[in-house]
Amino acid sequence: MKRLIRKQVLIPVLAVVVLVGASSFKSDFFEIAKQIEIFTTLFKELNMNYVDETNPAELMDSAIKNMLGELDPYTQFLNEQDVESFKINNAGEYSGIGALVRSYENKLLVVEPYQGYAADKAGLRAGDEIIKIGETVVADFDDNAGELLKGANNSTVEVTFLRQGETKTTTITRGGVEVDAVPFYDMIDDKTGYIVLSRFNQKASKQTQSALQDLKGRGAERLILDLRGNPGGLLSEAINVTNLFVPKGELIVTTKSKVKKFNQEYRTRNKPEDEEIPLVVLVNGKSASASEIVSGGLQDLDRAVIIGARSFGKGLVQRPLKLTYGTQLKVTISRYYTPSGRCIQSLDYWNRDEQGNAVRNTTFNEFTTRNGRKVWDGGGVMPDITIESLKTNSLIDALESNNIVFDFATEYFYDHSFDSVDNFSFSSSDYSAFKAYAAEQNFSYQTKTEQVLEETINGDDTLLGADVQEKYKDLLLAINRGKINALDTYKDEIQKNLEDEIITRYFYREGLYRYYLKHDDAILTAKELLADNTKYSNILK
């Protein structure tokens, strides 16, 4: 239940003063001071005179987050819990149940238990809905109930959850969790090594270097570095990972800001591990930030061939600034630019459309790599070789955001069995079952074409006659029918997502990566390219 905090206005007000005090006042000092005074008096009067009891801490938290929401999604206020989570993400070590859990309004959903850790040992599975933690009912808990799962090593917590309509209970003994930056690496064949780099925490460059050394010791003469799904992390680690493959002193990133001290050049500082080994880097639409620094830098320097789908397009740099009482402001301080001079930021948060959404860049500027190859800014890192099955669109995004693929995988897991990943197969009849399942869920999504048509039909100032409007409506119906057909049009892309989700249920992440070695389109394409020295070299020329 909520704890009511009575008229404690001092702490939030100080937080705002310090937050603003860290900014540059310049010529608008008076305006900033004026707005602070207005807000302070408003906040005090509101808490003293409102008809019902208020919670000043919650009000302030909401006010700050709404204010920052006008900027970009990466500029965030971090309370004490958020600061601790931020540190854990960077360190790669924490104490807890060892599972990825997603919070909803009245439940916690287990997305992925990590193999061999506490939640896995206690029997939790992906798709389990946690409804009670200890004596706390998740639906009655106002904050993120996932915080209740954290705790010291060897402490226990009883969890009640729903699985396939049945209520179950288990006791979890918490323990230390190691979050590896490199969760998997192996030889694909006798000469090709493969490394998965899943995050840029403090372990990233050391673990990548160690994996590379081991693979070379096992005969690797060429390498595939997989950054697909890597959301980024520490800028310093992105530089260090790139440094494994390029000489000391190379410019990797330039940051530009209105604040002079944030205008910096970042160069490699160490002797490379191997600046000659033929290298392919895999990216997709979930490769962001530090992943784009590595892939974009290696592409600009003609050090690697990039294979996959266009990356996310996050060209903004954040820095945590300390506030009072253990809180922080994670603020966007600059844009970063790859060695060729391009910024790959895809969304313009400072020029929004009528609905308040950030505008996506559609006009790209041309740049050249060291060898004179053409590359472009403004839309993520474009691969040198595109893999169609890695592309995404509004349908695929809707299937994911509505948990259609996830929930189908849960049902599939309890209806099928496989004794090894080598025996796994997803048949045409399985895909037909998925289409029927998706149709039953009544999930909705709107294409850009639909949006324009609806705005035209519903616009108050439309000059269209009734006949034309009826034809527009017929076109909208045709588009809706086309959405169902799109499940066939994009079968390869959707089936890959299904296979990834399902295989992880049976054989965890390691099983998925082993499946990739023999079946993944991007890896097979990279393997074939690396085996052809002439073709590989010609791409980089």
Side-chain angles (χ1 to χ4, degrees), residues 426-462:
F426 193 80
S427 66
S428 297
S429 60
D430 289 331
Y431 192 76
S432 295
F434 168 73
K435 289 197 298 180
Y437 177 85
E440 292 173 358
Q441 304 312 304
N442 294 320
F443 76 100
S444 62
Y445 68 100
Q446 189 175 54
T447 65
K448 291 182 180 178
T449 303
E450 281 181 290
Q451 184 175 334
V452 172
L453 286 175
E454 287 193 0
E455 289 174 357
T456 303
I457 294 173
N458 298 324
D460 293 333
D461 59 346
T462 181

Side-chain angles (χ1 to χ4, degrees), residues 251-322:
L251 176 65
I252 304 301
V253 172
T254 302
T255 59
K256 298 180 182 180
S257 170
K258 71 174 185 179
V259 182
K260 187 175 181 180
K261 68 179 180 179
F262 296 144
N263 294 331
Q264 296 184 16
E265 289 186 345
Y266 294 86
R267 296 179 179 271
T268 52
R269 296 182 176 182
N270 306 309
K271 180 181 177 181
E273 180 65 32
D274 193 326
E275 58 181 297
E276 299 294 336
I277 189 170
L279 176 64
V280 165
V281 177
L282 306 182
V283 298
N284 64 4
K286 295 182 180 179
S287 304
S289 192
S291 293
E292 296 172 299
I293 289 174
V294 173
S295 55
L298 292 172
Q299 185 180 51
D300 282 0
L301 298 172
D302 297 303
R303 180 60 188 87
V305 174
I306 312 302
I307 292 180
R310 185 173 71 178
S311 65
F312 181 82
K314 180 179 180 288
L316 304 175
V317 180
Q318 286 73 45
R319 173 173 292 187
L321 303 177
K322 291 183 179 180

Side-chain angles (χ1 to χ4, degrees), residues 15 170 204 221 250 279 313 377 394 397 412 459 470 519 526:
T170 187
E221 298 177 4
E250 285 282 7
L279 176 64
D377 68 356
S394 57
D397 292 341
Y412 188 96
E470 283 301 317
H519 301 279

Side-chain angles (χ1 to χ4, degrees), residues 133-400:
I133 302 172
E135 296 301 317
T136 302
V137 177
V138 172
D140 295 337
F141 195 76
D142 293 318
D143 295 322
N144 180 6
E147 296 295 323
L148 300 175
L149 297 173
K150 297 178 181 179
N153 286 352
N154 299 318
S155 62
T156 61
V157 58
E158 186 176 81
V159 170
T160 303
F161 60 95
L162 288 175
R163 176 184 294 169
Q164 299 294 96
E166 184 179 351
T167 302
K168 296 176 176 289
T169 302
T170 187
T171 299
I172 306 174
T173 302
R174 301 181 182 95
V177 180
E178 296 257 346
V179 183
D180 287 325
V182 176
F184 180 85
Y185 70 91
D186 204 353
M187 297 292 291
I188 297 176
D189 56 32
D190 58 350
K191 292 186 177 181
T192 311
Y194 172 70
I195 299 174
V196 178
L197 179 54
S198 63
R199 67 193 72 235
F200 284 87
N201 60 22
Q202 293 172 1
K203 302 178 180 181
S205 59
K206 290 296 183 183
Q207 289 192 345
T208 304
Q209 182 180 35
S210 177
L212 177 56
Q213 291 172 343
D214 187 39
L215 290 172
K216 290 176 67 176
R218 292 158 61 181
E221 298 177 4
R222 47 214 185 208
L223 181 69
I224 300 171
L225 179 64
D226 197 340
L227 298 180
R228 290 177 295 177
N230 186 324
L234 299 174
L235 173 61
S236 58
E237 283 300 287
I239 307 299
N240 291 338
V241 168
T242 309
N243 196 174
L244 295 174
F245 306 103
V246 302
K248 180 179 179 180
E250 285 282 7
L251 176 65
I252 304 301
V253 172
T254 302
T255 59
K256 298 180 182 180
S257 170
K258 71 174 185 179
V259 182
K260 187 175 181 180
K261 68 179 180 179
F262 296 144
N263 294 331
Q264 296 184 16
E265 289 186 345
Y266 294 86
R267 296 179 179 271
T268 52
R269 296 182 176 182
N270 306 309
K271 180 181 177 181
E273 180 65 32
D274 193 326
E275 58 181 297
E276 299 294 336
I277 189 170
L279 176 64
V280 165
V281 177
L282 306 182
V283 298
N284 64 4
K286 295 182 180 179
S287 304
S289 192
S291 293
E292 296 172 299
I293 289 174
V294 173
S295 55
L298 292 172
Q299 185 180 51
D300 282 0
L301 298 172
D302 297 303
R303 180 60 188 87
V305 174
I306 312 302
I307 292 180
R310 185 173 71 178
S311 65
F312 181 82
K314 180 179 180 288
L316 304 175
V317 180
Q318 286 73 45
R319 173 173 292 187
L321 303 177
K322 291 183 179 180
L323 306 177
T324 54
Y325 299 97
T327 63
Q328 292 184 6
L329 172 66
K330 184 164 73 75
V331 59
T332 297
I333 59 170
S334 59
R335 293 178 175 84
Y336 74 75
Y337 298 80
T338 65
S340 68
R342 54 182 171 145
C343 179
I344 49 78
Q345 177 65 26
S346 63
L347 291 175
D348 184 353
Y349 296 104
W350 298 271
N351 290 290
R352 298 175 181 261
D353 61 22
E354 294 179 355
Q355 286 73 43
N357 299 315
V359 176
R360 181 171 294 278
N361 292 323
T362 56
T363 302
F364 305 135
N365 299 306
E366 182 180 300
F367 294 79
T368 56
T369 68
R370 175 166 290 175
N371 290 341
R373 297 188 297 140
K374 294 180 180 180
V375 289
W376 292 266
D377 68 356
V381 175
M382 294 295 293
D384 301 304
I385 298 175
T386 299
I387 304 298
E388 294 298 323
S389 60
L390 294 182
K391 287 184 175 181
T392 189
N393 52 46
S394 57
L395 168 61
I396 295 172
D397 292 341
L399 290 172
E400 180 175 337

